Amino acid sequence: MYESSKKEIKQRELSIKDLIVTGVFGAILLICTGIGGGVFAITPTLTFYFPLGAALLPGPVYLLYLAKVPRRGGVSLIGIIVGMLCLITGMHWGMTLGFVICSVVADLTAGTRGYKSKKINILSYIIYSYGCMGTYLVYFINPSGWAKTMLGNGTTQGYIDQMNASADVRVLLVMIIGTALVAIFSGFVGSVLLKKQFEKAGITE
Amino acid sequence: MRNLFFDPRTKLILMIFTVITATQAPTLEYECLLIALITFFGFLCKKGKNVIWGSAVFAALYLFTVFYLRSHIGSVYTMMTAWLSLIFQMYPCGLLAGIVIKTTKINEFMSAMSRARISKRIVIPFAIMMRYVPVVKEDWNLIKDAMRMRGIEPSFAGMICHPGLTVECIYVPMLMTASKAADELTIASVTRGIENPKHRTCLVELAFGLCDYIALLLFGTLVVGCFFA
């Protein structure tokens, strides 16, 4: 049993077990993101702070997942599946693209230290958290195109001015820096939990 | 009722059509048409109650937008516009996704995906995810009970009073069960031959029927329509 698990670590490809762990942890990550970010997403004035809320809860889950599947492709797979889910539930395409790109980058980042370094893993979590920002970045790049679908082509100049006034660069900065801070906090809690509980219990490989 | 069985592949294509229609819809009225079609589809799938609620909420949002928002311009208008345009893109897809997830069995989904030649690497985690989401909800209720027994309140107030303890009491059992469940699912699925490299077979015969083609035609017309409207 021990020998076979040792062999598995050396093996670079994802095994069936890894795929199943990915599914289970992906579900928990999704729920944590939903609980943390849901409050922000349904409040119209706070919708731009969704990435902050979404980064709060999944940290410990993410770090335990990296400890359980320390192989290239694991995080990317979660990103691709979550992105697909976003796409079929009709989220903005920016979110799907953001998730896929950020999860691949997060995967490569964590891979530079063989998924073992705590600091690098937290850094990878920060990058992963930036995934759901895709939608808002698209909004900031082109705010007038955003609302076109809803009100037909009756957008006035005054409307565009107002949109630009309410959603200025400060909101964007708060979003980017705030998400990083929240993700660091969540990752820190995660690494403490990992050391205190899961490594002792032998849950990690 | 053999005739009213929709192939999982049809459902997937319908979802893609819905996403395209919802994002490309020229007017809100056009989107109401889409919602009506989804409601009809929901009735055929015997999920009438869900779709009636779903379309009622949509109707409320639509009436609010048409009668209130278009005549009031101000900062409320700006914020609500950004938010509502997001909701109007998501809503039809969410409604259809709910129906599809509730009416598709995992084994049908797996064999339809393997017929569609989608890699196992994507299909397995996806199927496990769909199956595990309700389990988390059950676990959460059990964890809440266990926490109350120890005298820790699983609420926002408890979070403020003892942050460390509350966080530990939620995450540790949740993640322990998750990793045990993952081990058990691995054993169960490997012994049932998930690693079999041969083509997957299924007791339920999956084939496109007349109702699949009609549904595809109706939703497809809407997709084509939004580029010409």
Side-chain angles (χ1 to χ4, degrees), chain B residues 52-114:
Chain B
I52 285 177
W53 270 109
S55 40
V57 172
F58 184 83
L61 280 173
Y62 171 71
L63 292 176
F64 173 74
T65 314
V66 170
F67 289 110
Y68 181 78
L69 220 54
R70 282 188 185 171
S71 54
H72 292 72
I73 292 179
S75 60
V76 177
Y77 171 80
T78 313
M79 286 322 271
M80 291 299 274
T81 309
W83 178 67
L84 275 174
S85 59
L86 193 75
I87 295 290
F88 280 129
Q89 281 188 8
M90 265 173 60
Y91 203 90
C93 315
L95 193 63
L96 187 64
I99 301 168
V100 168
I101 289 171
K102 276 188 188 135
T103 54
T104 311
K105 292 194 185 99
I106 289 290
N107 64 340
E108 289 166 12
F109 170 79
M110 291 277 281
S111 63
M113 289 304 103
S114 102

Side-chain angles (χ1 to χ4, degrees), chain B residues 152-182:
Chain B
I152 307 158
E153 208 31 60
S155 65
F156 193 69
M159 199 78 168
I160 301 288
C161 295
H162 322 274
L165 194 63
T166 316
V167 164
E168 239 171 66
C169 285
I170 293 172
Y171 276 113
V172 173
M174 186 76 89
L175 295 177
M176 289 277 187
T177 356
S179 57
K180 263 188 204 154

Side-chain angles (χ1 to χ4, degrees), chain A residues 100-158:
Chain A
V100 173
I101 292 173
C102 287
S103 62
V104 170
V105 175
D107 199 352
L108 294 175
T109 312
T112 53
R113 290 279 183 282
Y115 303 91
K116 291 280 181 265
S117 157
K118 289 237 162 88
K119 277 177 198 155
I120 297 294
N121 284 358
I122 292 177
L123 180 69
S124 134
Y125 176 60
I126 298 172
I127 297 170
Y128 173 82
S129 303
Y130 279 142
C132 48
M133 220 179 264
T135 320
Y136 304 104
L137 287 182
V138 174
Y139 172 82
F140 275 102
I141 291 165
N142 182 14
S144 54
W146 178 267
K148 216 170 62 186
T149 328
M150 193 175 81
L151 298 175
N153 291 320
T155 3
T156 58
Q157 188 58 44

Side-chain angles (χ1 to χ4, degrees), chain B:
Chain B
M1 297 300 280
R2 180 68 188 85
N3 295 339
L4 280 181
F5 174 81
F6 288 98
D7 191 290
R9 282 168 292 179
T10 311
K11 291 176 183 166
L12 206 67
I13 298 171
L14 289 189
M15 285 177 92
I16 294 166
F17 280 175
T18 309
V19 171
I20 298 171
T21 316
T23 47
Q24 299 295 326
T27 55
L28 261 185
E29 287 70 27
Y30 198 83
E31 214 166 299
C32 292
L33 211 63
L34 179 66
I35 291 282
L37 203 56
I38 294 173
T39 313
F40 182 60
F41 180 75
F43 270 112
L44 291 185
C45 293
K46 302 192 192 76
K47 289 283 163 210
K49 214 170 133 192
N50 301 49
V51 282
I52 285 177
W53 270 109
S55 40
V57 172
F58 184 83
L61 280 173
Y62 171 71
L63 292 176
F64 173 74
T65 314
V66 170
F67 289 110
Y68 181 78
L69 220 54
R70 282 188 185 171
S71 54
H72 292 72
I73 292 179
S75 60
V76 177
Y77 171 80
T78 313
M79 286 322 271
M80 291 299 274
T81 309
W83 178 67
L84 275 174
S85 59
L86 193 75
I87 295 290
F88 280 129
Q89 281 188 8
M90 265 173 60
Y91 203 90
C93 315
L95 193 63
L96 187 64
I99 301 168
V100 168
I101 289 171
K102 276 188 188 135
T103 54
T104 311
K105 292 194 185 99
I106 289 290
N107 64 340
E108 289 166 12
F109 170 79
M110 291 277 281
S111 63
M113 289 304 103
S114 102
R115 285 251 195 114
R117 292 171 206 284
I118 292 172
S119 163
K120 263 188 185 177
R121 283 183 168 200
I122 306 260
V123 176
I124 292 172
F126 200 82
I128 298 274
M129 216 178 209
M130 292 294 111
R131 183 205 169 280
Y132 200 73
V133 169
V135 179
V136 174
K137 209 174 149 195
E138 266 170 46
D139 280 350
W140 168 237
N141 287 329
L142 295 176
I143 290 169
K144 265 198 303 195
D145 287 345
M147 280 169 77
R148 287 214 184 87
M149 258 189 237
R150 275 189 63 189
I152 307 158
E153 208 31 60
S155 65
F156 193 69
M159 199 78 168
I160 301 288
C161 295
H162 322 274
L165 194 63
T166 316
V167 164
E168 239 171 66
C169 285
I170 293 172
Y171 276 113
V172 173
M174 186 76 89
L175 295 177
M176 289 277 187
T177 356
S179 57
K180 263 188 204 154
D183 289 347
E184 276 164 23
L185 281 173
T186 311
I187 295 166
S189 50
V190 169
T191 46
R192 282 165 182 76
I194 202 169
E195 286 174 311
N196 187 358
K198 285 222 167 141
H199 202 67
R200 191 188 159 90
T201 54
C202 184
L203 198 60
V204 182
E205 277 176 44
L206 291 176
F208 280 114
L210 185 63
C211 57
D212 291 300
Y213 289 118
I214 292 174
L216 286 176
L217 191 69
L218 284 175
F219 278 79
T221 318
L222 271 189
V223 174
V224 176
C226 60
F227 290 105
F228 289 102

